[in-house]
Coordinates of all heavy atoms in Angstrom, one line a residue:
M1 N 253.1 320.8 73.9 CA 254.2 320.3 74.7 C 255.1 319.3 73.9 O 256.3 319.3 74.1 CB 253.8 319.8 76.0 CG 254.8 319.6 77.1 SD 255.5 321.1 77.6 CE 256.3 320.6 79.0
S2 N 254.4 318.3 73.2 CA 255.3 317.3 72.5 C 256.1 317.9 71.4 O 257.1 317.5 71.1 CB 254.3 316.4 71.9 OG 253.4 316.9 70.9
V3 N 255.7 319.1 70.8 CA 256.4 319.8 69.9 C 257.8 320.2 70.5 O 258.9 320.1 69.8 CB 255.7 321.1 69.3 CG1 256.6 321.9 68.3 CG2 254.4 320.7 68.6
V4 N 257.8 320.6 71.8 CA 259.0 321.1 72.5 C 260.0 319.8 72.6 O 261.2 320.0 72.2 CB 258.7 321.6 73.9 CG1 260.0 321.8 74.7 CG2 257.9 322.8 73.7
Y5 N 259.4 318.7 72.9 CA 260.2 317.4 73.1 C 260.8 317.0 71.7 O 262.0 316.6 71.6 CB 259.4 316.3 73.6 CG 259.1 316.5 75.1 CD1 257.8 316.4 75.6 CD2 260.2 316.7 76.0 CE1 257.6 316.6 77.0 CE2 259.9 316.9 77.4 CZ 258.6 316.8 77.8 OH 258.4 317.1 79.2
I6 N 260.0 317.1 70.7 CA 260.5 316.7 69.3 C 261.7 317.7 68.9 O 262.6 317.2 68.4 CB 259.3 316.8 68.3 CG1 258.3 315.7 68.5 CG2 259.9 316.7 66.8 CD1 257.1 315.7 67.7
G7 N 261.4 319.0 69.1 CA 262.4 319.9 68.9 C 263.7 319.7 69.6 O 264.8 319.7 69.1
L8 N 263.6 319.4 70.9 CA 264.7 319.1 71.7 C 265.5 317.8 71.2 O 266.7 317.8 71.2 CB 264.3 318.8 73.2 CG 265.4 318.9 74.3 CD1 266.1 320.3 74.2 CD2 264.7 318.7 75.6
G9 N 264.7 316.8 70.8 CA 265.2 315.6 70.3 C 266.0 315.8 69.0 O 267.1 315.3 68.8
I10 N 265.5 316.6 68.2 CA 266.2 317.0 66.9 C 267.6 317.7 67.2 O 268.6 317.4 66.6 CB 265.3 317.8 66.0 CG1 264.1 316.9 65.4 CG2 266.1 318.4 64.8 CD1 263.1 317.7 64.7
V11 N 267.4 318.6 68.1 CA 268.7 319.4 68.5 C 269.8 318.3 69.1 O 270.9 318.5 68.7 CB 268.4 320.4 69.6 CG1 269.7 321.0 70.1 CG2 267.7 321.6 68.9
I12 N 269.4 317.4 69.9 CA 270.3 316.5 70.4 C 270.9 315.6 69.4 O 272.1 315.3 69.4 CB 269.6 315.7 71.6 CG1 269.4 316.6 72.8 CG2 270.4 314.5 72.0 CD1 268.5 316.0 73.9
L13 N 270.0 315.1 68.5 CA 270.5 314.3 67.4 C 271.5 315.0 66.5 O 272.5 314.4 66.1 CB 269.3 313.8 66.6 CG 268.5 312.6 67.2 CD1 267.2 312.3 66.3 CD2 269.4 311.4 67.4
L14 N 271.2 316.3 66.2 CA 272.1 317.0 65.4 C 273.4 317.2 66.1 O 274.4 317.1 65.4 CB 271.5 318.4 65.0 CG 270.3 318.3 64.0 CD1 269.8 319.7 63.8 CD2 270.8 317.8 62.6
W15 N 273.4 317.4 67.4 CA 274.7 317.6 68.2 C 275.5 316.3 68.1 O 276.7 316.4 67.9 CB 274.3 318.0 69.6 CG 275.4 318.2 70.4 CD1 276.3 319.4 70.5 CD2 276.2 317.2 71.2 NE1 277.4 319.2 71.3 CE2 277.3 318.0 71.8 CE3 276.0 315.9 71.6 CZ2 278.2 317.2 72.7 CZ3 276.9 315.3 72.5 CH2 277.9 315.9 73.0
I16 N 274.8 315.2 68.3 CA 275.5 313.9 68.3 C 276.1 313.6 66.9 O 277.2 313.2 66.7 CB 274.6 312.7 68.6 CG1 274.2 312.9 70.2 CG2 275.2 311.4 68.5 CD1 273.1 311.9 70.6
A17 N 275.3 313.9 65.9 CA 275.8 313.7 64.4 C 277.1 314.6 64.2 O 278.0 314.1 63.5 CB 274.7 314.0 63.5
G18 N 277.0 315.8 64.6 CA 278.1 316.8 64.5 C 279.3 316.3 65.2 O 280.4 316.3 64.6
Y19 N 279.1 315.7 66.3 CA 280.3 315.2 67.2 C 280.9 314.0 66.4 O 282.1 313.9 66.3 CB 279.8 314.8 68.6 CG 280.8 314.1 69.4 CD1 281.8 314.8 70.0 CD2 280.8 312.7 69.6 CE1 282.8 314.3 70.9 CE2 281.7 312.1 70.4 CZ 282.6 312.9 71.0 OH 283.6 312.2 71.8
L20 N 280.1 313.1 66.0 CA 280.6 311.9 65.4 C 281.3 312.3 64.1 O 282.3 311.7 63.7 CB 279.4 310.9 65.1 CG 278.9 310.3 66.4 CD1 277.7 309.4 66.0 CD2 279.9 309.5 67.1
Y21 N 280.7 313.2 63.3 CA 281.3 313.6 62.0 C 282.8 314.2 62.3 O 283.7 314.0 61.6 CB 280.4 314.6 61.3 CG 281.1 315.2 60.1 CD1 281.3 314.4 58.9 CD2 281.6 316.5 60.1 CE1 281.9 315.0 57.8 CE2 282.3 317.1 59.0 CZ 282.4 316.2 57.8 OH 283.1 316.7 56.7
G22 N 282.8 315.0 63.3 CA 284.1 315.6 63.7 C 285.1 314.5 64.0 O 286.3 314.7 63.6
K23 N 284.7 313.5 64.8 CA 285.6 312.5 65.1 C 286.1 311.7 63.9 O 287.3 311.3 63.7 CB 285.0 311.5 66.1 CG 285.0 312.0 67.5 CD 284.7 311.0 68.5 CE 286.0 310.4 68.9 NZ 286.0 309.7 70.2
H24 N 285.1 311.4 62.9 CA 285.4 310.6 61.7 C 286.4 311.4 60.8 O 287.3 310.9 60.3 CB 284.1 310.3 61.0 CG 284.3 309.6 59.8 ND1 284.7 308.2 59.7 CD2 284.3 310.0 58.4 CE1 284.9 307.9 58.4 NE2 284.6 309.0 57.7
K25 N 286.1 312.7 60.7 CA 286.9 313.6 59.8 C 288.3 313.6 60.2 O 289.3 313.6 59.2 CB 286.3 315.0 59.9 CG 286.8 315.9 58.8 CD 286.0 317.3 58.9 CE 286.5 318.0 60.2 NZ 286.3 319.4 60.3
N26 N 288.7 313.5 61.5 CA 290.1 313.7 61.9 C 290.6 312.3 62.2 O 291.8 312.2 62.8 CB 290.2 314.5 63.1 CG 290.0 316.0 62.7 OD1 290.1 316.4 61.6 ND2 289.5 316.8 63.7
R27 N 290.1 311.3 61.8 CA 290.4 309.9 62.2 C 291.8 309.5 61.8 O 292.6 308.9 62.4 CB 289.4 308.9 61.7 CG 289.5 307.5 62.2 CD 288.5 306.6 61.6 NE 288.6 306.7 60.2 CZ 287.8 306.0 59.3 NH1 287.0 305.1 59.8 NH2 287.9 306.1 58.0
N28 N 292.2 310.0 60.6 CA 293.6 309.7 60.0 C 294.5 310.7 60.1 O 295.4 310.9 59.3 CB 293.4 309.2 58.6 CG 292.7 307.9 58.5 OD1 292.9 307.0 59.4 ND2 291.9 307.6 57.5
K29 N 294.3 311.7 61.0 CA 295.2 312.8 61.2 C 296.0 312.8 62.5 O 295.6 312.0 63.4 CB 294.4 314.1 61.1 CG 293.7 314.3 59.7 CD 293.2 315.7 59.5 CE 292.7 315.7 58.1 NZ 292.2 317.1 57.8
V30 N 297.1 313.5 62.5 CA 298.0 313.6 63.7 C 298.5 315.0 63.8 O 298.6 315.7 62.8 CB 299.1 312.6 63.6 CG1 299.9 312.8 62.4 CG2 299.9 312.5 64.8
V31 N 298.8 315.4 64.9 CA 299.3 316.8 65.1 C 300.7 316.9 64.7 O 301.4 316.0 64.8 CB 299.0 317.3 66.5 CG1 300.1 316.7 67.5 CG2 299.0 318.8 66.7
C32 N 301.2 318.1 64.2 CA 302.5 318.3 64.0 C 302.9 319.7 64.3 O 302.1 320.6 64.4 CB 302.9 318.0 62.5 SG 302.8 319.3 61.4
V33 N 304.2 319.9 64.6 CA 304.6 321.3 65.2 C 305.4 322.0 64.1 O 306.2 321.5 63.4 CB 305.6 321.0 66.4 CG1 306.2 322.4 66.9 CG2 305.0 320.2 67.5
V34 N 304.9 323.3 64.0 CA 305.7 324.2 63.0 C 306.7 324.9 63.8 O 306.4 325.9 64.5 CB 304.7 325.2 62.4 CG1 305.4 326.1 61.5 CG2 303.5 324.5 61.7
E35 N 307.9 324.3 63.8 CA 308.9 324.8 64.8 C 309.2 326.3 64.7 O 309.5 326.9 65.7 CB 310.2 323.9 64.6 CG 310.1 322.5 65.0 CD 311.2 321.6 64.7 OE1 312.3 322.3 64.5 OE2 311.1 320.4 64.7
D36 N 309.2 326.8 63.5 CA 309.6 328.2 63.4 C 308.6 329.1 64.2 O 308.9 330.3 64.5 CB 309.6 328.6 62.0 CG 310.8 328.1 61.2 OD1 311.7 327.6 61.9 OD2 310.9 328.1 60.0
N37 N 307.4 328.7 64.3 CA 306.3 329.5 65.0 C 306.3 329.2 66.5 O 305.7 330.0 67.3 CB 304.9 329.2 64.5 CG 304.8 329.6 63.1 OD1 305.6 330.3 62.5 ND2 303.7 329.3 62.5
C38 N 306.9 328.2 66.9 CA 306.8 327.8 68.4 C 307.6 328.7 69.3 O 308.8 329.0 69.0 CB 307.3 326.3 68.6 SG 307.2 325.7 70.3
S39 N 307.0 329.2 70.4 CA 307.6 330.1 71.4 C 308.2 329.3 72.5 O 309.0 329.9 73.3 CB 306.6 331.1 71.9 OG 305.7 330.5 72.8
G40 N 307.9 328.1 72.6 CA 308.4 327.3 73.7 C 307.5 327.4 75.0 O 308.1 327.2 76.1
C41 N 306.3 327.9 74.8 CA 305.6 328.2 76.1 C 305.0 327.1 76.8 O 304.6 327.2 78.0 CB 304.4 329.1 75.7 SG 303.1 328.2 74.7
R42 N 305.0 325.9 76.2 CA 304.6 324.6 76.9 C 303.1 324.5 77.1 O 302.7 323.5 77.7 CB 305.2 324.4 78.3 CG 306.7 324.3 78.3 CD 307.3 324.1 79.6 NE 306.6 322.9 80.3 CZ 307.0 321.7 80.3 NH1 308.2 321.4 79.7 NH2 306.3 320.7 80.9
R43 N 302.2 325.4 76.6 CA 300.8 325.3 76.8 C 300.2 324.0 76.2 O 299.4 323.4 76.8 CB 300.1 326.5 76.2 CG 300.4 327.8 77.0 CD 299.9 329.0 76.3 NE 298.5 329.0 76.0 CZ 297.6 329.6 76.7 NH1 298.0 330.2 77.8 NH2 296.3 329.6 76.4
C44 N 300.7 323.6 75.1 CA 300.3 322.4 74.4 C 300.6 321.2 75.2 O 299.8 320.2 75.3 CB 300.8 322.3 73.0 SG 302.6 322.4 72.9
V45 N 301.8 321.1 75.7 CA 302.3 320.0 76.5 C 301.4 319.8 77.7 O 301.0 318.6 78.0 CB 303.7 320.2 76.9 CG1 304.2 319.0 77.8 CG2 304.7 320.2 75.6
K46 N 301.1 320.9 78.3 CA 300.3 320.8 79.6 C 298.9 320.3 79.3 O 298.2 319.6 80.1 CB 300.2 322.1 80.2 CG 301.6 322.5 80.9 CD 301.4 323.8 81.7 CE 302.8 324.5 81.8 NZ 302.6 325.9 82.1
I47 N 298.3 320.7 78.2 CA 296.8 320.4 77.9 C 296.6 319.0 77.4 O 295.6 318.4 77.5 CB 296.3 321.5 77.0 CG1 294.7 321.4 77.0 CG2 296.7 321.3 75.5 CD1 294.1 321.9 78.2
C48 N 297.6 318.4 76.7 CA 297.4 317.1 76.1 C 297.4 316.0 77.1 O 298.4 315.6 77.7 CB 298.5 316.8 75.1 SG 298.3 315.2 74.3
T49 N 296.3 315.4 77.3 CA 296.1 314.3 78.4 C 296.6 313.0 77.8 O 296.8 312.0 78.5 CB 294.6 314.1 78.7 OG1 293.9 313.9 77.5 CG2 294.1 315.4 79.4
H50 N 297.0 312.9 76.5 CA 297.6 311.7 76.0 C 299.1 311.7 76.0 O 299.7 310.8 75.5 CB 297.0 311.4 74.6 CG 295.6 311.2 74.6 ND1 295.0 310.0 74.8 CD2 294.5 312.1 74.4 CE1 293.6 310.1 74.7 NE2 293.4 311.4 74.5
H51 N 299.7 312.8 76.5 CA 301.1 312.9 76.5 C 301.8 312.7 75.3 O 302.8 311.9 75.1 CB 301.8 312.0 77.6 CG 301.0 312.2 79.0 ND1 301.1 313.3 79.7 CD2 300.1 311.4 79.6 CE1 300.4 313.2 80.8 NE2 299.7 312.1 80.7
V52 N 301.3 313.3 74.1 CA 301.9 313.2 72.8 C 303.1 314.1 72.6 O 304.0 313.7 72.0 CB 300.8 313.5 71.8 CG1 301.4 313.6 70.4 CG2 299.6 312.5 71.9
L53 N 303.0 315.2 73.2 CA 304.1 316.3 73.0 C 305.0 316.3 74.1 O 304.7 316.2 75.3 CB 303.4 317.6 72.9 CG 302.3 317.7 71.7 CD1 301.3 318.7 71.9 CD2 303.1 318.0 70.3
E54 N 306.2 316.7 73.8 CA 307.3 317.0 74.8 C 308.1 318.3 74.3 O 308.1 318.6 73.1 CB 308.2 315.9 74.9 CG 307.7 314.7 75.7 CD 308.7 313.6 75.9 OE1 309.8 313.7 75.5 OE2 308.3 312.5 76.5
M55 N 308.7 318.9 75.2 CA 309.7 320.0 74.8 C 311.0 319.4 74.6 O 311.5 318.4 75.2 CB 309.8 321.0 76.0 CG 308.5 321.6 76.4 SD 307.5 322.3 75.0 CE 308.6 323.8 74.6
V56 N 311.6 319.9 73.4 CA 313.0 319.5 73.1 C 313.9 320.7 72.9 O 313.3 321.8 72.6 CB 313.0 318.7 71.9 CG1 312.2 317.4 72.0 CG2 312.5 319.4 70.6
K57 N 315.2 320.5 73.1 CA 316.1 321.7 72.8 C 317.1 321.1 71.8 O 317.7 320.1 71.9 CB 316.9 321.9 74.2 CG 317.8 323.1 74.1 CD 318.4 323.3 75.5 CE 319.3 324.6 75.4 NZ 320.0 324.9 76.6
D58 N 317.2 322.0 70.7 CA 318.2 321.6 69.7 C 318.8 323.0 69.2 O 318.6 324.0 69.8 CB 317.5 320.9 68.5 CG 316.4 321.6 67.9 OD1 316.4 322.9 68.0 OD2 315.5 321.0 67.2
E59 N 319.4 322.9 68.1 CA 320.2 324.1 67.6 C 319.2 325.3 67.3 O 319.7 326.4 67.2 CB 321.0 323.7 66.3 CG 320.1 323.3 65.1 CD 319.8 321.9 65.1 OE1 320.2 321.1 66.1 OE2 319.0 321.4 64.2
T60 N 317.9 325.0 67.1 CA 317.0 326.2 66.9 C 316.4 326.7 68.2 O 315.7 327.6 68.1 CB 315.9 325.7 65.9 OG1 315.1 324.6 66.6 CG2 316.4 325.2 64.6
G61 N 316.7 326.1 69.3 CA 316.2 326.5 70.6 C 315.2 325.5 71.2 O 315.3 324.4 70.8
I62 N 314.4 326.0 72.1 CA 313.5 325.0 72.8 C 312.1 325.1 72.1 O 311.6 326.2 71.9 CB 313.4 325.4 74.2 CG1 314.7 325.2 75.0 CG2 312.4 324.6 75.0 CD1 314.7 325.7 76.4
H63 N 311.6 324.0 71.7 CA 310.3 324.0 71.0 C 309.5 322.7 71.4 O 310.2 321.7 71.8 CB 310.4 324.2 69.6 CG 311.2 323.1 68.9 ND1 310.7 322.0 68.5 CD2 312.5 323.1 68.6 CE1 311.7 321.3 67.9 NE2 312.8 321.9 68.0
A64 N 308.2 322.7 71.1 CA 307.4 321.5 71.3 C 307.8 320.5 70.2 O 308.2 320.9 69.0 CB 306.0 321.8 71.3
A65 N 307.7 319.2 70.4 CA 307.9 318.2 69.4 C 306.9 317.0 69.7 O 306.5 316.8 70.8 CB 309.3 317.6 69.5
V66 N 306.5 316.4 68.6 CA 305.6 315.2 68.7 C 306.4 314.0 68.9 O 307.0 313.5 68.1 CB 304.7 315.0 67.3 CG1 303.8 313.8 67.5 CG2 303.9 316.3 67.1
K67 N 306.3 313.6 70.2 CA 307.1 312.4 70.6 C 306.4 311.1 70.4 O 307.1 310.1 70.1 CB 307.5 312.6 72.1 CG 308.7 313.4 72.4 CD 310.0 312.7 71.8 CE 311.2 313.6 72.3 NZ 312.4 312.9 71.8
Y68 N 305.2 311.1 70.6 CA 304.4 309.8 70.6 C 303.2 310.1 69.7 O 302.0 310.1 70.1 CB 303.9 309.4 71.9 CG 305.1 309.2 72.9 CD1 305.4 310.2 73.8 CD2 305.9 308.1 72.8 CE1 306.5 310.2 74.7 CE2 307.0 308.0 73.7 CZ 307.3 308.9 74.6 OH 308.4 308.8 75.4
P69 N 303.4 310.1 68.3 CA 302.3 310.4 67.4 C 301.1 309.3 67.4 O 300.0 309.6 67.2 CB 303.0 310.4 66.0 CG 304.3 309.7 66.2 CD 304.7 309.9 67.6
D70 N 301.6 308.1 67.8 CA 300.5 307.0 67.9 C 299.4 307.2 68.9 O 298.4 306.8 68.8 CB 301.1 305.7 68.1 CG 302.0 305.1 66.9 OD1 301.8 305.8 65.8 OD2 302.7 304.2 67.0
R71 N 299.8 308.1 69.9 CA 298.8 308.4 70.9 C 297.9 309.5 70.6 O 296.8 309.7 71.3 CB 299.6 308.8 72.2 CG 300.5 307.8 72.8 CD 301.2 308.4 74.1 NE 302.2 307.4 74.6 CZ 302.9 307.8 75.5 NH1 302.9 309.1 76.1 NH2 303.8 307.0 76.1
C72 N 298.2 310.2 69.5 CA 297.4 311.4 69.2 C 296.0 311.0 68.6 O 296.0 310.4 67.6 CB 298.1 312.3 68.2 SG 297.3 313.8 67.7
N73 N 294.9 311.5 69.1 CA 293.6 311.3 68.6 C 293.1 312.5 67.7 O 291.9 312.5 67.4 CB 292.7 310.8 69.7 CG 292.3 311.9 70.6 OD1 292.9 313.0 70.5 ND2 291.6 311.6 71.6
A74 N 294.0 313.4 67.5 CA 293.6 314.6 66.7 C 292.4 315.4 67.3 O 291.6 315.9 66.5 CB 293.2 314.2 65.2
C75 N 292.4 315.5 68.6 CA 291.3 316.1 69.3 C 291.3 317.7 69.0 O 290.3 318.4 69.2 CB 291.2 315.9 70.7 SG 292.6 316.5 71.7
G76 N 292.5 318.2 68.9 CA 292.7 319.6 68.6 C 292.8 320.5 69.8 O 293.0 321.7 69.7
N77 N 292.8 319.9 71.0 CA 292.9 320.7 72.2 C 294.2 321.5 72.3 O 294.1 322.7 72.7 CB 292.8 319.8 73.5 CG 291.4 319.3 73.6 OD1 290.4 319.9 73.1 ND2 291.3 318.2 74.4
C78 N 295.3 320.9 71.8 CA 296.6 321.6 71.9 C 296.6 322.8 70.9 O 297.1 323.9 71.2 CB 297.7 320.7 71.6 SG 297.5 319.8 70.0
M79 N 295.9 322.6 69.8 CA 295.8 323.8 68.8 C 295.2 324.9 69.4 O 295.4 326.0 69.0 CB 295.2 323.2 67.5 CG 296.1 322.1 66.8 SD 295.2 321.2 65.6 CE 294.9 322.5 64.4
K80 N 294.1 324.6 70.0 CA 293.2 325.7 70.7 C 294.0 326.5 71.6 O 293.8 327.7 71.8 CB 292.0 325.2 71.3 CG 291.0 324.6 70.3 CD 289.8 324.0 71.0 CE 289.1 323.1 70.1 NZ 288.2 322.1 70.8
R81 N 295.0 325.8 72.4 CA 295.7 326.4 73.4 C 296.9 327.2 72.8 O 297.4 328.2 73.4 CB 296.4 325.5 74.3 CG 295.5 325.0 75.5 CD 295.3 326.2 76.4 NE 294.2 325.9 77.4 CZ 294.6 325.6 78.6 NH1 295.8 325.5 79.0 NH2 293.6 325.4 79.5
C82 N 297.4 326.9 71.6 CA 298.6 327.5 71.1 C 298.3 328.9 70.5 O 297.4 329.1 69.6 CB 299.2 326.7 69.9 SG 300.6 327.4 69.3
K83 N 298.9 329.9 71.0 CA 298.6 331.3 70.6 C 299.5 331.7 69.4 O 299.5 332.9 69.0 CB 298.8 332.3 71.8 CG 297.8 332.0 72.8 CD 298.0 333.1 73.9 CE 296.9 332.9 75.0 NZ 296.9 333.8 76.0
F84 N 300.4 330.8 69.0 CA 301.4 331.1 68.0 C 301.2 330.4 66.7 O 302.1 330.4 65.8 CB 302.8 330.9 68.5 CG 303.0 331.7 69.8 CD1 302.8 331.2 71.1 CD2 303.6 333.0 69.6 CE1 303.0 332.1 72.2 CE2 303.8 333.8 70.8 CZ 303.5 333.3 72.1
N85 N 300.0 329.8 66.5 CA 299.8 329.0 65.3 C 300.9 328.1 64.9 O 301.3 328.0 63.8 CB 299.5 330.0 64.1 CG 298.8 329.5 63.0 OD1 298.1 328.4 63.1 ND2 299.0 330.0 61.8
A86 N 301.4 327.4 65.9 CA 302.5 326.5 65.8 C 302.1 325.1 65.7 O 303.0 324.2 65.7 CB 303.5 326.7 66.9
L87 N 300.8 324.7 65.7 CA 300.4 323.3 65.6 C 299.4 323.2 64.5 O 298.5 324.1 64.4 CB 299.8 322.9 67.0 CG 300.7 322.9 68.2 CD1 299.9 322.8 69.4 CD2 301.7 321.7 68.1
K88 N 299.4 322.1 63.8 CA 298.4 321.8 62.8 C 298.2 320.3 62.7 O 299.0 319.5 63.1 CB 298.9 322.4 61.4 CG 300.1 321.9 60.9 CD 300.5 322.5 59.6 CE 301.7 321.9 59.0 NZ 302.1 322.5 57.7
L89 N 297.1 319.9 62.1 CA 296.8 318.6 61.9 C 297.2 318.2 60.5 O 296.9 318.9 59.5 CB 295.3 318.2 62.1 CG 294.8 318.2 63.5 CD1 293.3 318.0 63.5 CD2 295.5 317.3 64.4
I90 N 297.9 317.0 60.3 CA 298.3 316.5 59.0 C 297.8 315.1 58.8 O 297.4 314.4 59.9 CB 299.8 316.6 58.8 CG1 300.6 315.8 59.8 CG2 300.3 318.1 58.8 CD1 302.0 315.6 59.5
E91 N 297.8 314.6 57.6 CA 297.4 313.3 57.4 C 298.4 312.3 57.9 O 299.7 312.6 57.8 CB 297.2 312.9 55.8 CG 296.1 313.7 55.2 CD 294.8 313.2 55.7 OE1 294.6 312.1 56.0 OE2 293.8 314.1 55.7
R92 N 298.1 311.2 58.5 CA 299.0 310.1 59.0 C 299.6 309.5 57.8 O 298.9 309.2 56.8 CB 298.3 309.1 59.8 CG 298.0 309.5 61.3 CD 297.5 308.3 62.0 NE 297.0 308.8 63.2 CZ 297.7 308.9 64.4 NH1 299.0 308.6 64.4 NH2 297.2 309.3 65.5
V93 N 300.9 309.2 57.9 CA 301.6 308.4 56.8 C 301.7 307.0 57.2 O 301.8 306.7 58.4 CB 302.8 309.1 56.3 CG1 302.6 310.3 55.6 CG2 303.7 309.3 57.5
Ligands
SF4_1 S1 301.5 325.9 72.7 FE1 302.4 326.5 70.7 S2 304.0 328.0 71.0 FE2 303.5 326.9 73.0 S3 305.0 325.2 73.1 FE3 303.1 324.4 72.1 S4 303.4 324.6 69.9 FE4 304.9 326.0 70.9
SF4_2 S1 295.5 316.8 69.0 FE1 294.8 316.2 71.1 S2 295.8 314.2 71.4 FE2 296.8 315.1 69.7 S3 298.6 316.2 70.7 FE3 296.9 317.6 70.6 S4 295.9 317.5 72.5 FE4 297.1 315.7 72.3

């Protein structure tokens, strides 16, 4: 029975290590919009709980834009929602 507990403990530790590594890896990154790919669907704006993104209208049409980059924690949730490959993480400058 103790072998089961040890195995479970190892799995939990590996999960925590992976989570912390993922956070550290993206620490200095911020999302950016590839405007040519953006369809204007708003899915990214709706999913971001930090309100980083807004829709803008310019000469190229309506597309998402990074309005508040300082709020972005590079969680990647918006990228998972985007079906048009219009979001990516870049290094903060
Ligand atoms: S989810 Fe993608 S395609 Fe839709 S508005 Fe956001 S960046 Fe544009
Ligand atoms: S990476 Fe996360 S915090 Fe940054 S814009 Fe996307 S959903 Fe918001």
